[in-house]
């Protein structure tokens, strides 16, 4: 049984660029779909972080 030789560099590069492009495109689509949910999550996290200092001061 013959061993499989590694692919040449130009083949690896030729396969890597379309895969990276498609992954980036899919990531953008998913982020756009969940944009409102991500925005609400980020704002609520920042608000909780800022308000935790005030709550700590009031509990002293």
């Amino acid at each position: 049984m013959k061993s499989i030789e590694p692919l040449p560099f130009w083949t690896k590069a030729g396969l890597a660029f379309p895969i990276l492009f498609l992954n980036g495109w899919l990531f953008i689509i998913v982020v756009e779909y969940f944009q409102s949910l991500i925005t609400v999550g980020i704002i609520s996290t920042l608000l909780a972080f800022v308000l935790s200092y005030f709550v700590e001061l009031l509990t002293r």
Side-chain angles (χ1 to χ4, degrees):
M1 180 172 188
K2 285 186 174 180
S3 64
I4 299 175
E5 295 181 14
L7 294 172
F9 175 75
W10 63 270
T11 307
K12 292 178 191 175
L15 292 174
F17 290 126
I19 290 173
L20 290 174
F21 175 76
L22 290 173
N23 283 339
W25 178 62
L26 183 63
F27 178 74
I28 290 171
I29 288 175
V30 169
V31 167
E32 285 178 358
Y33 185 76
F34 291 110
Q35 183 178 7
S36 60
L37 184 64
I38 292 170
T39 304
V40 168
I42 291 172
I43 290 173
S44 63
T45 302
L46 291 174
L47 190 60
F49 179 73
V50 169
L51 290 177
S52 68
Y53 290 113
F54 295 117
V55 171
E56 186 177 328
L57 288 173
L58 291 174
T59 55
R60 286 186 187 179

